[in-house]
């Protein structure tokens, strides 16, 4: 068996393993526990926040013979069939490649048959906003006259493209961006289970760069691992992969600005530029650095561990806001 991407290997197998979407998970669990399963759901939110993973878990849970606290048991024949993708009752359709009316009509005709062995037939339609108008109309007819024992889970990253007629017939769940802390924690636990070591700072860089998407974080981590010879994810590798500007370079650049030492600030910039750092990426990193200064000045948590950062905290708040305005307009 070849190498399996981390995000696939560590895809949650039950609701307990889902990170960062507690409210959604609890609602869906309650629907299983109290047997209040709807016939159409819409999962919306940015990429990599767990829409498809949770759709698959819910499909497993509604068909599970012995759900545990609303979560699939992973042991019964139905769970196992879904886990090894041999179930005829859970069908995934990617609307980006199947935007045709025929597919949806076929679903409509087939969905009138009883499920072959499971309790529910579940259709997961990913990127549902890509359906053509004709296909949306066909789907609408299906949702208007729902068949007993059929559940539709529609997923999209672009809520504004979903027709209002569809929106009024689904239970809508909005997936939030996952908090940086939760991403970092999850990465750390995966690396520990894989028996690998890491610099704390490296995970901070990766989880920040993932911008709220767990899948992105795991993909970046995968890349970092392929560059790490000694099974240790180091800060320098994380910086290299994410193209983020070395924290030491930021420290000294901001220190030069604080001391109004133009020559030194420009030579800092030159070093960064010669290392192939993009200046827009630098501007973004600089904004985050200023934001971190503001947070710590206001009594928030400090994730930096350098003496220069401590010194840079002496920048006045008004001056920081001025700098943030400058960088923002430059961006």
């Amino acid at each position: 068996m070849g190498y399996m991407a981390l995000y696939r290997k560590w895809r949650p197998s039950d609701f307990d393993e889902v990170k960062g979407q507690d409210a959604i998970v609890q609602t869906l669990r309650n629907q299983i526990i109290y047997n209040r399963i709807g016939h159409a759901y819409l999962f919306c939110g940015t990429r990599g926040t767990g829409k498809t993973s949770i759709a698959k878990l819910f499909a497993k849970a509604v068909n599970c013979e012995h759900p545990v606290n609303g979560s699939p048991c992973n042991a019964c024949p139905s769970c196992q069939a879904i886990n090894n993708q041999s179930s005829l009752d859970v069908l995934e359709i990617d609307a980006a490649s199947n935007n045709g009316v025929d597919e949806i009509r076929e679903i409509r005709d087939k969905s009138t048959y009883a499920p072959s062995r499971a309790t529910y037939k579940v259709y997961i339609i990913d990127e549902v906003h890509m359906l053509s108008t004709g296909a949306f109309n066909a789907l609408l007819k299906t949702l208007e006259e729902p068949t007993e024992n059929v559940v539709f889970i529609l997923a999209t990253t672009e809520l504004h493209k979903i027709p209002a007629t569809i929106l009024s017939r689904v239970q809508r769940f909005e997936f939030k961006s996952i908090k940086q802390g939760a991403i970092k924690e999850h990465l750390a636990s995966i690396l520990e289970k894989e028996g690998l070591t890491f610099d704390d700072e490296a995970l901070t860089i990766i989880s920040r760069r993932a911008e709220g998407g767990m899948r992105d974080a795991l993909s970046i981590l995968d890349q970092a691992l392929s560059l790490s010879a000694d099974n240790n994810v180091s800060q320098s590798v994380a910086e290299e992969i994410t193209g983020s500007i070395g924290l030491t370079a930021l420290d000294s650049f901001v220190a030069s600005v604080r001391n109004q030492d133009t020559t030194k600030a420009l030579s800092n910039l030159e070093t960064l530029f010669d290392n192939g750092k993009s200046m827009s990426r630098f501007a973004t990193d600089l904004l985050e650095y200023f934001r971190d200064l503001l947070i710590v000045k206001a009594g928030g948590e400090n994730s930096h561990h350098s003496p220069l950062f401590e010194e840079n905290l002496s920048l006045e708040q008004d001056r920081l806001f001025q700098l943030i305005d400058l960088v923002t307009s430059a961006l």
Side-chain angles (χ1 to χ4, degrees), residues 272-320:
L272 290 167
F273 199 66
D274 290 346
N275 282 332
K277 299 294 184 193
S278 87
M279 286 296 114
S280 61
R281 184 83 209 135
F282 171 63
T284 316
D285 285 356
L286 193 56
L287 280 178
E288 287 189 335
Y289 189 95
F290 289 148
R291 187 196 62 188
D292 289 349
L293 285 173
L294 283 171
I295 288 174
V296 176
K297 283 170 81 73
E301 192 188 347
N302 185 356
S303 60
H304 295 254
H305 311 291
S306 74
L308 264 182
F309 184 84
E310 300 292 330
E311 288 174 32
N312 288 335
L313 283 169
S314 65
L315 276 163
E316 294 292 309
Q317 193 167 341
D318 292 349
R319 178 99 174 91
L320 275 171

Side-chain angles (χ1 to χ4, degrees), residues 138-182:
L139 179 61
L140 188 61
K141 279 210 162 56
T142 318
L143 297 180
E144 279 171 344
E145 304 153 13
T147 319
E148 195 87 1
N149 304 71
V150 172
V151 176
F152 282 92
I153 304 177
L154 317 175
T156 182
T157 45
E158 308 202 33
L159 180 61
H160 58 280
K161 293 185 178 170
I162 307 292
T165 44
I166 299 269
L167 291 179
S168 64
R169 290 182 169 79
V170 295
Q171 289 187 35
R172 184 158 105 199
F173 289 89
E174 306 207 12
F175 283 64
K176 300 190 300 279
S177 285
I178 301 170
K179 290 196 170 60
Q180 199 179 312

Side-chain angles (χ1 to χ4, degrees), residues 6 10 16 28 37 54-55 85 134 143 163 208 216 291:
L6 286 178
W10 293 99
D16 290 337
L28 294 174
I37 293 151
I54 289 181
Q85 294 172 344
L143 297 180
R208 177 179 284 175
D216 286 9
R291 187 196 62 188

Side-chain angles (χ1 to χ4, degrees), residues 101-115:
V101 191
D102 299 341
E103 283 83 5
I104 301 292
R105 284 207 181 118
E106 193 183 342
I107 289 177
R108 199 174 78 208
D109 301 340
K110 279 192 183 153
S111 68
T112 49
Y113 304 129

